[in-house]
Amino acid sequence: MARNSSAQRQWDESDVRVRANKKGSRPRTKQRPTHEDAVIARVIAVDRGRYTCVVNEQSHDQRTVVCIRAKELRRKPIVPGDQVGVVGDVSGDPDTLARIVRIEPRATILRRSADDTDPVERVIVANADRLVLVLATESPTPRTGFVDRGLAAASDAGITPVICMTKTDLKDPAEFLTYVEALDVQTASTEPTDALGGRPAAGVHEASLAISEASIERLRTILDGHISVFLGPSGVGKSTLVNALTGSERATGGVNDVTGRGRHTSSSARALRMPDTSPGTWVIDTPGIRSLGLAHVSEEELLNSFTDLVPATADCPRGCLHTQDSPGCALDEWVHRPEASPAAPLRLESLRRLLAASRGETQAGADEKHLGQAIT
């Protein structure tokens, strides 16, 4: 009997042998597409791998597009405020999906770390030029450490800081603002609406967040023409301010009467357009924070953020570490001079605490986790 030739044999899938690629899947060529036809869009929200972007910003054809990221960008953070190149279906129609293929150069990057020794940086927002540090006069108690850390983060990012005080019906904000009166930092306070009919009862924190229209107009003037990110602990009224400025309906919450801490309501950062302002005016709401690590900020940048203390360092000996036991440190004498602000000794203490934390010489305790010392 004649043997079956290979030409007569019936082949199926089991005859196919695939050799595993030890290097994993890789592109067949190193020449990657340039995507010159990509449309520029601004990222306004990030949610579980989906990026909401605005295409044709400031035009009559402005629309919202939902995107995923390209494989080559999987290790690069994409955050609200980013300008990105988008390809695919950018019509913005329901059930359509586009793809982000590149991140445009960023003008600024606001970053934080989990603590002062964590080497991992977390990008909060990109391309913002205003950092609004939001604090309540009471409930929760404002912390000087949060202000100093926020100013250092803004200085590192090249962003102009603004300090905004809420719940001014509970306590006079001037008492806390004496801490920064020697600094060239713009401040704003929000008064409650006249419709409240006087001082609210104890524990009624939501009533204290009802903001007057005059306060909103003053804040709108400060933020007009800028991309502003709101940063602060939970319960201070960030989302309430954003809602009043933009007409949105971000979820808001109160403060726990037992712990004095705010309840988390915003789970992710989101950029919102502020109406009736100059083109390019955006407000970015962020979740409440209880720590603001500065592991990415150098000691020199930390010192530079204390602008009221920097002039005294000219009289310090070379190599001075500016610690309490540093020989000949001129800061100790400087803060007690008549021309120094009343808060200068407290600010020097804060500077030394931050410098020690950046060197790993101290462990952040409960007060540090709550963003520093309170002024009572």
Side-chain angles (χ1 to χ4, degrees):
M1 180 181 295
R3 296 181 178 179
N4 290 335
S5 65
S6 60
Q8 297 173 323
R9 182 177 175 180
Q10 298 297 318
W11 300 86
D12 58 24
E13 290 84 358
S14 62
D15 295 289
V16 179
R17 296 182 179 181
V18 179
R19 182 176 296 175
N21 185 352
K22 296 180 179 179
K23 296 183 178 180
S25 60
R26 61 180 181 181
R28 295 181 179 179
T29 174
K30 293 183 178 180
Q31 296 181 351
R32 308 306 298 156
T34 58
H35 297 294
E36 295 180 357
D37 59 338
V39 176
I40 302 300
R42 184 183 300 278
V43 179
I44 61 173
V46 180
D47 183 20
R48 292 169 291 186
R50 293 294 186 267
Y51 302 86
T52 305
C53 304
V54 171
V55 175
N56 290 344
E57 182 182 341
Q58 303 176 25
S59 74
H60 68 281
D61 193 28
Q62 177 176 308
R63 57 192 182 277
T64 302
V65 177
V66 178
C67 308
I68 58 174
R69 69 166 68 199
K71 183 179 179 180
E72 55 266 29
L73 297 179
R74 64 182 180 274
R75 295 185 181 276
K76 297 181 179 180
I78 302 176
V79 296
D82 264 325
Q83 288 193 306
V84 295
V86 177
V87 299
D89 193 335
V90 294
S91 64
D93 295 335
D95 301 323
T96 60
L97 199 63
R99 183 163 54 103
I100 297 175
V101 293
R102 68 170 177 266
I103 304 172
E104 298 296 316
R106 293 161 166 166
T108 62
I109 304 175
L110 181 63
R111 303 171 290 174
R112 65 180 286 254
S113 56
D115 54 53
D116 293 322
T117 58
D118 186 1
V120 179
E121 298 177 5
R122 293 162 176 80
V123 180
I124 303 175
V125 296
N127 298 316
D129 59 352
R130 287 288 185 276
L131 172 59
V132 183
L133 303 174
V134 185
L135 302 99
T137 59
E138 283 287 350
S139 185
T141 305
R143 304 279 174 172
T144 58
F146 170 69
V147 172
D148 293 331
R149 288 174 176 272
L151 294 178
S155 177
D156 174 70
I159 300 175
T160 301
V162 177
I163 298 176
C164 181
M165 302 293 296
T166 63
K167 304 185 183 181
T168 56
D169 57 320
L170 300 180
K171 191 175 182 180
D172 187 356
E175 186 176 359
F176 183 84
L177 292 177
T178 56
Y179 184 73
V180 295
E181 67 180 3
L183 309 180
D184 186 19
V185 178
Q186 193 165 15
T187 61
S189 299
T190 60
E191 293 81 18
T193 178
D194 296 336
L196 289 176
R199 189 181 184 87
V204 186
H205 309 297
E206 289 78 5
S208 296
L209 289 174
I211 307 167
S212 68
E213 185 60 32
S215 298
I216 293 302
E217 285 302 319
R218 287 197 299 271
L219 196 55
R220 183 178 282 115
T221 301
I222 294 174
L223 306 181
D224 188 10
H226 302 284
I227 300 176
S228 307
V229 52
F230 282 56
L231 197 67
S234 297
V236 296
K238 296 187 303 299
S239 296
T240 301
L241 280 173
V242 170
N243 289 343
L245 288 167
T246 64
S248 60
E249 297 181 355
R250 296 277 282 175
T252 61
V255 176
N256 188 307
D257 290 324
V258 177
T259 64
R261 299 178 183 177
R263 298 182 180 91
H264 287 286
T265 52
S266 300
S267 59
S268 61
R270 185 176 184 89
L272 298 159
R273 180 79 170 85
M274 197 158 69
D276 302 325
T277 54
S278 303
T281 304
W282 290 87
V283 173
I284 304 177
D285 188 19
T286 62
I289 60 172
R290 289 180 179 162
S291 63
L292 183 57
L294 300 174
H296 59 283
V297 181
S298 66
E299 291 186 20
E300 181 180 3
E301 197 60 57
L302 281 175
L303 177 60
N304 289 337
S305 66
F306 285 76
T307 54
D308 53 332
L309 301 181
V310 168
T313 60
D315 298 327
C316 287
R318 176 175 294 185
C320 181
L321 298 178
H322 309 299
T323 61
Q324 192 169 7
D325 55 356
S326 294
C329 182
L331 289 172
D332 294 285
E333 179 186 355
W334 173 272
V335 297
H336 295 292
R337 290 182 179 180
E339 61 268 25
S341 70
L346 190 59
R347 287 185 51 76
L348 175 57
E349 181 183 345
S350 180
L351 169 62
R352 285 173 169 168
R353 187 165 53 246
L354 289 178
L355 290 174
S358 69
R359 297 164 186 157
E361 297 173 359
T362 59
Q363 187 110 25
D367 286 341
E368 282 297 316
K369 204 65 178 175
H370 290 292
L371 301 174
Q373 183 174 346
I375 292 183
T376 58

